[in-house]
Amino acid sequence: MKTYEEINEKIAAGKAVVLTADEIIDYVDKNGLETAAKEVDVVTTATFGPMCSSGCFLNFGHSKPKMRITEAWLDDVPAYAGVAAVDVYLGATQLRYNDPANLYHPGEFRFGGGHVMEKLVAGKKIQLFGLSYGTDDYPRREIRTWIDINDLNQAIMVNPRNCYQNYNVAVNCSEKEIYTYLGYLKPGMKNLTYCSATQLSPLLNDPFYMTIGIGTRIWIAGAHGHVYAEGTQHAPSCKRGENDVPMGGSGTLALTGDMKRMQPEFVRGVSLRGYGVSLAVGVGIPIPILNEAILKYTTVRDREILAPVVDYATDYPEATGKVLGYLNYEELKSGEVTFMDKEVKAGSLSSYAGALEIAEILKAEINDGRFLLSSPMAPLVREQSMKPLVIRENK
Amino acid sequence: MPTRKLLLYFSKCETEKPIVYRLVKDYNLMINIFRAKVTPDEEGYLVLDVAGTDEDINNGLEYVKSFGVTVNETLKGVRWDSVKCTSCGNCIPRCPTGALYYPDKHALKVDFDPTQCIECLNCIKNCPFDACRSLF
Ligand code: SF4
Ligand code: SF4
């Protein structure tokens, strides 16, 4: 039994024992749960994959004369300006003005909100174009200028949904090729895509949110941010395995962090052919080993985590809820699986190598005493389902 | 028989000469063209495998160079940017030859072996992170 305070004291003294969620598996196998729970203080988890529901609040500061911006474009990508005079929210999935989208299917979606965020973090100049109707106190009606992240007063990433606990495996059972947010899927279930950091994934290592909650300090693309709320679509009441690990989407986290402290290699615009643009953000979350039960959960391994296989040609778009079956991540990571009597090539969208790198970076920061753990201010809800949107004939 | 993968760059004026034909006929070379972009009055590129004896290959290349064609053995038509690549792995099942691959099945970090690449361009259409590009 340990407390957050005890672990933080050890971290500050440079004496904490920290392992990644990858390393802890063999460690516990070798030393046993009881001994390991005494010895190990922190297990680092991480994920680095495309995740829509990302964006950022930006404050430009005031021009001379002042302007109350009502419409704004950053590198021609529209940002939501209905926040305040010089505050905007830029969404990761926003397309660039005049992007032909899927007019010529499949569209390429080469540049959008996520790419602008990548440029900002990389310190590159972007064009701000803004319009207004003009007021007595804010007379300017038009602005065009070039700015980089250092010109901004604030650039705060706010991701309403991240770190999906588990996720669908996408296949295509139809006769024609399809393009989805999980990539290109050949007809006749010839390939599949999964998207998870698997045994490194934060919420797969803490399936009932015993340590990760609202207020938990996190590593987000190099900055130290925190979980500010449950993520949108947080739906922990789902089918779970004997090890309590969800067998579908389940929990999510809402994250925030200061973009001025982020590293560009972990904030990456994503182009999904035929689908749209998005953003991949690298996230690392430490799990304090307060007791044996918490440690036990962190020893989860790929073959014990099951993901639902869903047909993205019919069942997913039609929201039938049908699951074709389950595959574990050890099979999926092997690159080829047998499913419904077919040989299916397995591809990924989330970077395991990237997640491993982040778990190691976070481990090094904790070892060096640069990252202290915080206990949550409030726990995440453990019972909740996702509601569909009902289309009503009248009110 | 030695096989070499080459990228030929034609400046504007050389595109009308039957260079490939000569390489086959006069220098006994087996040619496998992966990709070509040869438009009259414009510069052109040719990515090919040449197989033959070392002597025939060298003589053939001398002949090609005599037209001012640039022969590049290290540069490929498909470029993979190791910095931009996040190792998401989305290209792996779509690369027909394993040119994009995982050297280590545990670390799952993606690498590119240009000698295996047949320039099918699948990865370029597919890469969500713009890590794969074509020289032309
Ligand atoms: S799809 Fe692109 S980013 Fe992903 S592993 Fe392949 S080359 Fe790298
Ligand atoms: S062009 Fe084709 S063969 Fe070459 S790396 Fe890309 S997918 Fe593989």
Side-chain angles (χ1 to χ4, degrees), chain B residues 80 84-92 100 110 126-129 131-132:
Chain B
W80 171 77
K84 281 191 155 185
C85 174
T86 64
S87 292
C88 73
N90 204 243
C91 52
I92 302 286
L100 286 156
V110 171
N126 196 62
C127 177
F129 295 95
C132 301

Side-chain angles (χ1 to χ4, degrees), chain B residues 5 35 78 80 91-92 94-100 112-114 116-124 126 132:
Chain B
K5 189 158 185 275
R35 200 150 64 100
V78 169
W80 171 77
C91 52
I92 302 286
R94 296 207 61 203
C95 178
T97 60
L100 286 156
F112 177 55
D113 177 359
Q116 296 297 315
C117 177
I118 54 162
E119 314 236 345
C120 72
L121 308 186
N122 271 352
C123 57
I124 294 176
N126 196 62
C132 301

